[in-house]
Amino acid sequence: MGRPRYNRAVRHALTFTLAALVIAACGTPPDPKRPNGAGAGGGAGSSAGPTAGAGGGDPGTGKRPATGGGSAAGAQPDAEPKDVGALVPTCVYHAGANAYFACLSGGAGTCFHFGPACTPAASCMYDAASRGYKQCTKVVEGACATWGAACAPASKCMFNVADNLHHTCEDVSGGTCKRHGAVCAP
């Protein structure tokens, strides 16, 4: 015999109730606080309330009011926005893939977030087989298909297979680093 019809109705009711509880628990986000013009503080004609000044607070609790204050003078935004620069990803060797990829986020000698395949400047790439840097004459998807002569990156920031980090090379010879220094930004 088939399952009773009330099971479906009970499931729907429970799902609806659970959804209503989740919505009620989360609520709606508060309205964003927006400045009310120059100063955006609790000055005359402002509905922001009292300002937090020296010693100003609720005498009963000793707590200061939650609203901040300001003055109309000196609160004007800059007329010209400041240049914050743009993200310039570097082309970094990925040991696991044995290829080069754009580094979107990194530091302390390593890359944390890789992007698309790329070719480093002057096509000077790390060769895992020889554990040194060589000129790549044919790059395919960030990997070298045809190797050339030994080279060294202009920045001397080179991959160190001992710890899988990039270090400043203090002694380059024939595309290999004889003495690694401090970690560097790849």
Side-chain angles (χ1 to χ4, degrees), residues 6-174:
Y6 73 89
N7 280 344
R8 186 179 340 163
V10 170
R11 280 189 304 223
H12 285 290
L14 287 175
T15 303
F16 178 75
T17 305
L18 182 61
L21 287 174
V22 168
I23 290 171
C26 294
T28 59
D31 291 335
K33 304 297 181 209
R34 296 207 169 119
N36 59 355
S46 170
S47 62
T51 60
D58 182 12
T61 63
K63 294 183 182 179
R64 291 185 175 205
T67 59
S71 67
Q76 301 299 324
D78 291 338
E80 216 173 288
K82 296 188 183 345
D83 183 19
V84 294
L87 173 67
V88 179
T90 56
C91 194
V92 179
Y93 177 71
H94 185 291
N98 195 25
Y100 279 79
F101 298 94
C103 182
L104 304 177
S105 177
T110 191
C111 183
F112 307 121
H113 187 119
F114 290 96
C118 62
T119 303
S123 298
C124 186
M125 301 172 77
Y126 181 76
D127 177 20
S130 68
R131 292 188 175 198
Y133 282 79
K134 292 182 181 176
Q135 191 71 37
C136 183
T137 57
K138 184 177 179 185
V139 180
V140 178
E141 295 290 321
C144 186
T146 308
W147 294 106
C151 65
S155 65
K156 294 197 176 167
C157 185
M158 300 173 79
F159 180 73
N160 182 358
V161 72
D163 62 2
N164 287 331
L165 297 176
H166 287 78
H167 293 265
T168 303
C169 185
E170 297 173 352
D171 185 13
V172 179
S173 176

